Amino acid sequence: MTSTLLWSLIAVQIAMGAFDTLYHHELTERLAWRPSQRGELRLHAVRNWLYALLFLTLGFAEPKGLLAWAIMGVLIVEVVITLMDFVEEDLSRRLPATERVNHTLLALNYGAILVLILPVLLGWAGEATGIAWVSHGAWSVLALAASLSVALFGLRDWFAAVRSERLGLPAPAGLADMLAPARTILVTGATGFVGQRLVASLVAAGHEVTVLTRDGAKAAALPAPLRIVTSLDQVPDDARLDAIVNLAGEPIADGLWTRAKRRAILASRLRMTRGLAKLVARLDRPPTVVVSGSAVGWYGLRGDESLTESSPAAPAFTQRVCEAWEREAMAIAALGPRVVLLRTGLVLGIEGGLLARLLMPFEFGLGGRIGSGRQWMSWISRDDLVRLICHMIATPTLHGPVNGTAPEPVRNADFAASLARHLHRPAIAPLPARLLRRLGGDFAEEMLLGGQRVLPEKALASGFAFRHAQLESALGSILGRNVVREAEARSSRAVVHAGE
């Protein structure tokens, strides 16, 4: 089989498949850490192993007789698995446009490969059963590299599918158990990382939830029953709202802070908060409480100083954004509701946020500290943050700023070491501060290299109990394993063996 055209199409298939795996499956969609994609991961694993067999065979052999028929059978099975994968993807997740386009091109290119290769295989099928070993030079080298790569990723996908069985989220209803009796709650930003879990918890606990969203398709994936509105004008004046939770805003950590990005970050928060103020003003009965988002960026960059809700701020872009956002939210208090300002730290979970971005590089052994690693990281598990929001709604004495962080912030180097330990990987690939500053400017300085040592003084004083006050506990729960318990188990086994 010496057709340059055929091998060129195979090379294109390899390149598009590598792009799909690395960019979509690993980098943007993070399928290996999504429990919902267990079936898709298993299909990917089997398909990768079939591709490994095909690449090796076509690169170094000419199968004859029954062996040629076997290879044609593998090609047919690959088509069936791909069709099953399409169905699984449509049922379990929303594919980005680039992935859909890439899948279409892969299917078309694979069809062209079949048109060229089937006549060759049929010719070989008419000969006596056996294998003729051949070499196609550089094409064989490409086939070998591709075979080894897809075989390794097949193993990764299979073990990721096995691991996903212990990554399932705990039942959401228990996160809102302090909210009784049932309440009516409006949530903005409901399709975001925190909003999705909050809505799931409220709905599961029997509360009547209305979500405001511009993305109807994402909102449709939220658990029922709930009411979806695309504009606050759709909420009637006589609507009963016991509480409003405002989490909406342009993501602040998903790209560099260009001038347009800075304007969008600030404008989106102010526009939504002002809209909520107008809603509260026209309601026949205003809600009892409004929980409005903010962030620990309000404090600016403060080094090693311990920060509570009474600490002053230092100038920074995030500080200016949070200050303006909080000022607009506090204006709602004059209309009657109790207003709580949720100053959120780094929210940990595998479905989004910082941790989700770190999992892939750390799992591939490319993780490490950022800069010096001495900057403080004020973090909170997503479920504890959802519980804290519900606690804010249920606790009449809470008002004004409340820090949404765990009681034990950690330095970045300790965070990296802990994450690496949970993934059984080294943390030996630091990100240089000079490079980050050159590439990211203020974004890198405030979001990566700077930090705040924030303590949840008001949350603790109000009686809130964190389920995960320590990072080890949080990562153990989120990643489906507990390093501390494993270490204790190993120690116990060592003591038993020593006694023997």
Side-chain angles (χ1 to χ4, degrees):
M1 183 181 58
T2 59
S3 170
T4 301
L5 176 59
L6 176 58
W7 276 109
S8 298
L9 292 176
I10 292 174
V12 169
Q13 193 78 358
I14 291 171
M16 289 193 297
F19 171 75
D20 195 40
T21 297
L22 296 176
Y23 181 74
H24 293 127
H25 299 172
E26 295 290 347
L27 186 61
T28 59
E29 295 296 291
R30 298 185 284 269
L31 299 184
W33 289 96
R34 292 172 62 174
S36 61
Q37 304 313 122
R38 189 179 309 157
E40 183 180 356
L41 287 168
R42 289 194 175 112
L43 290 172
H44 288 179
V46 175
R47 185 172 60 190
N48 280 338
W49 292 331
L50 292 178
Y51 264 127
L53 174 62
L54 289 171
F55 289 147
L56 273 182
T57 301
L58 298 178
F60 297 95
E62 292 183 354
K64 306 295 179 68
L66 293 178
L67 295 178
W69 286 109
I71 293 299
M72 284 188 277
V74 170
L75 292 170
I76 294 172
V77 171
E78 196 283 335
V79 171
V80 173
I81 290 177
T82 296
L83 294 175
M84 293 172 62
D85 188 35
F86 287 165
V87 173
E88 178 70 23
E89 289 170 342
D90 284 339
L91 292 175
S92 60
R93 66 185 175 102
R94 185 185 182 191
L95 271 67
T98 53
E99 189 171 4
R100 288 190 179 278
V101 170
N102 196 65
H103 285 183
T104 301
L105 294 175
L106 279 166
L108 291 172
N109 195 68
Y110 189 76
I113 291 173
L114 290 179
V115 169
L116 293 176
I117 202 173
L118 284 177
V120 177
L121 290 172
L122 287 171
W124 290 342
E127 302 180 28
T129 299
I131 294 179
W133 300 105
V134 296
S135 174
H136 302 288
W139 295 122
S140 292
V141 174
L142 174 65
L144 177 61
S147 179
L148 292 175
S149 298
V150 294
L152 287 174
F153 272 97
L155 287 173
R156 168 171 169 71
D157 287 340
W158 186 264
F159 285 115
V162 173
R163 175 182 60 196
S164 69
E165 295 178 0
R166 66 171 187 265
L167 293 179
L169 292 171
L175 303 180
D177 56 7
M178 70 282 291
L179 279 178
R183 311 194 187 198
T184 59
I185 302 173
L186 170 67
V187 180
T188 72
T191 59
F193 172 47
V194 176
Q196 289 182 29
R197 187 65 167 162
L198 174 62
V199 169
S201 302
L202 294 173
V203 170
H207 300 286
E208 185 179 333
V209 180
T210 299
V211 301
L212 172 68
T213 181
R214 293 174 299 176
D215 192 333
K218 279 189 176 181
L222 294 172
L226 53 78
R227 181 187 180 199
I228 299 173
V229 297
T230 57
S231 169
L232 291 176
D233 294 337
Q234 296 173 5
V235 180
D237 294 350
D238 61 354
R240 176 193 167 191
L241 288 178
D242 297 314
I244 296 176
V245 180
N246 178 25
L247 302 175
E250 176 78 11
I252 200 169
D254 67 345
L256 298 181
W257 292 341
T258 63
R259 184 174 299 179
K261 179 70 172 179
R262 289 173 188 256
R263 285 197 300 265
I265 288 170
L266 179 59
S268 63
R269 285 159 174 77
L270 299 187
R271 183 170 56 248
M272 177 58 68
T273 308
R274 288 167 182 166
L276 289 173
K278 292 179 181 178
L279 171 65
V280 172
R282 68 175 173 82
L283 288 176
D284 295 342
R285 193 193 73 169
T288 304
V289 58
V290 173
V291 176
S292 186
S294 185
V296 296
W298 185 90
Y299 298 102
L301 304 181
R302 305 294 295 275
D304 290 339
E305 183 180 352
S306 295
L307 304 170
T308 67
E309 290 84 355
S310 60
S311 299
F317 170 67
T318 50
Q319 187 275 327
R320 293 192 296 273
V321 170
C322 292
E323 184 179 40
W325 194 9
E326 291 187 5
R327 186 168 55 248
E328 292 292 337
M330 286 306 300
I332 300 177
L335 302 173
R338 171 173 57 93
V339 175
V340 188
L341 305 171
L342 176 61
R343 291 179 180 170
T344 308
L346 298 168
V347 185
L348 302 186
I350 60 174
E351 296 84 1
L354 174 68
L355 180 60
R357 293 186 178 95
L358 293 178
L359 287 173
M360 191 270 281
F362 269 77
E363 195 172 17
F364 281 83
L366 301 175
R369 72 177 190 276
I370 299 174
S372 69
R374 291 191 54 77
Q375 66 272 33
W376 287 95
M377 298 177 67
S378 296
W379 60 273
I380 186 171
S381 73
R382 185 173 64 159
D383 279 1
D384 265 347
L385 182 59
V386 169
R387 293 178 58 247
L388 180 57
I389 292 172
C390 294
H391 177 75
M392 290 173 172
I393 296 172
T395 307
T397 56
L398 278 177
H399 59 86
V402 176
N403 292 332
T405 61
E408 298 187 21
V410 297
R411 294 192 186 273
N412 173 261
D414 295 328
F415 182 95
S418 180
L419 177 56
R421 195 159 54 246
H422 278 272
L423 296 177
H424 300 294
R425 300 291 190 275
I428 56 176
L431 282 172
R434 180 177 299 179
L435 174 64
L436 291 172
R437 287 191 179 99
R438 182 179 296 272
L439 295 176
D442 289 346
F443 172 85
E445 192 66 46
E446 293 190 34
M447 302 300 295
L448 301 175
L449 299 171
Q452 300 88 9
R453 188 181 186 182
V454 179
L455 304 176
E457 184 177 77
K458 289 177 71 172
L460 293 173
S462 68
F464 182 75
F466 288 85
R467 290 182 179 174
H468 303 294
Q470 298 178 328
L471 183 64
E472 288 291 313
S473 169
L475 290 180
S477 174
I478 293 168
L479 302 179
R481 63 189 318 125
N482 192 308
V483 169
V484 175
R485 289 178 183 173
E486 290 175 358
E488 292 175 348
R490 287 194 296 270
S491 176
S492 297
R493 288 195 294 270
V495 170
V496 170
H497 292 321
E500 295 173 350

